[in-house]
Amino acid sequence: MISLAWTRFFLVAAGLFGAVGVAAGAYASHGLARLVDEVKLIEYFELAALYQLVHAVALLGLALAASYRPLHLGAVIAGLLFTAGVVLFSGSLYLRVLTGVPDWGAFTPLGGSAFILGWLVIAATGVRAAQASQAGPEQKPGHQTAEGPQGLRPPQ
């Protein structure tokens, strides 16, 4: 189980990513055309804002889930991957558009990979949790039954 510090971190990150994502989306719609004349670059900026907002909501979900029960390591890893994904994916696209330096795009696939890995870690964590809950008390190691510790049955 993971400490409350991660819950706070994910909650703060979700709030900041959400606010910046909304501002970036608004800027892409209302002000970016004055700076950038290529439609493709505006689309990159909008995509960065969209992915940032989606993962802000995912981080918010992790933080809210942690308010009911401590986060497992898989959830923390997923949250960190989402955070890295926002910084690398969205950040590199914002920088590419705002600076006019296409080399920033080299970081975009790394951020996309972090997003994908984060979702896969959540899926794997869910599978493991489902397997653990399906294993009845008699299958869990060290579980005490009326007959004694699991695996140590009295002779019949």
Side-chain angles (χ1 to χ4, degrees), residues 53-66:
L53 287 170
V54 166
H55 290 88
V57 173
L59 285 170
L60 180 61
L62 288 174
L64 290 176

Side-chain angles (χ1 to χ4, degrees), residues 121-142:
V121 167
I122 285 180
T125 301
V127 167
R128 289 185 56 155
Q131 289 171 341
S133 69
Q134 286 177 353
E138 65 281 349
Q139 296 176 359
K140 293 181 183 174

Side-chain angles (χ1 to χ4, degrees), residues 12-24 49 52-53 55-57:
V12 169
L16 292 175
F17 288 163
V20 171
V22 169
Q52 182 170 340
L53 287 170
H55 290 88
V57 173

